[in-house]
Amino acid sequence: MSEVEAKLAELGLTLPDVVPPLASYQPAVRSGVYVYTAGQLPMVEGKLPVTGKVGAEVTAEEAKELARVCALNALAAVKSVAGDLDRIARVVKVVGFVASAADFTGQPGVVNGASELLGEVLGDKGVHARSAVGVAVLPLDAPVEVEIQVELAQ
């Protein structure tokens, strides 16, 4: 078991299987020392646990927890092309999309779920640049979607 996966276990988490693509793309690709993930939905065992807009059908706290699930799914996607999560030198960038009710402005707080998980699991290697974007709708009516870019150690 890798050190990163041991840390996940210490936090009571397990790395899920890679979420299969919903369309014509790969869950992650490697280019040189970088791995880019596709947007990861908060799928748990092949299903979305919650759907709808944040600030309407979904609370900000629920969405923050879903962003953590997205980050776990992103780590699984990274492992699928890197082979071992211990190869992560650092998380470079996180982009979070939040399906938002018209008056919802708490996107950064929602995406903190992903950022905080990466910090808990990877320590200083999890510190990253980030964007948190409100959108009208996401695939499958998901409340949140997260993609990450990581640099691998050489």
Side-chain angles (χ1 to χ4, degrees):
M1 177 182 291
S2 74
E3 288 181 31
V4 172
E5 290 180 81
K7 182 63 178 181
L8 284 167
E10 180 182 312
L11 295 169
L13 303 169
T14 52
L15 197 66
D17 291 334
V18 177
V19 176
L22 299 174
S24 183
Y25 62 88
Q26 294 296 311
V29 297
R30 181 174 174 184
S31 179
V33 296
Y34 295 99
V35 175
Y36 301 83
T37 72
Q40 299 293 310
L41 299 178
M43 302 291 267
V44 177
E45 297 180 5
K47 298 178 184 171
L48 287 174
V50 179
T51 60
K53 305 279 187 291
V54 181
E57 302 88 0
V58 181
T59 69
E61 279 305 310
E62 288 172 316
K64 183 177 178 180
E65 287 302 312
L66 293 170
R68 289 176 64 86
V69 174
C70 293
L72 274 174
N73 289 341
L75 287 173
V78 169
K79 182 180 178 184
S80 75
V81 296
D84 185 345
L85 291 177
D86 288 347
R87 296 192 61 214
I88 295 174
R90 73 167 307 153
V91 177
V92 177
K93 177 89 186 241
V94 171
V95 180
F97 302 96
V98 181
S100 303
D103 61 346
F104 182 74
T105 60
Q107 292 84 6
V110 169
V111 181
N112 277 350
S115 294
E116 291 168 4
L117 178 114
L118 293 168
E120 291 168 18
V121 172
L122 298 168
D124 289 342
K125 294 177 183 180
V127 177
H128 53 268
R130 187 183 88 183
S131 298
V133 182
V135 297
V137 68
L138 289 168
L140 305 178
D141 200 25
V144 64
E145 179 176 340
V146 173
E147 63 184 52
I148 68 174
Q149 175 187 350
V150 302
E151 179 182 359
L152 301 177
Q154 297 191 42

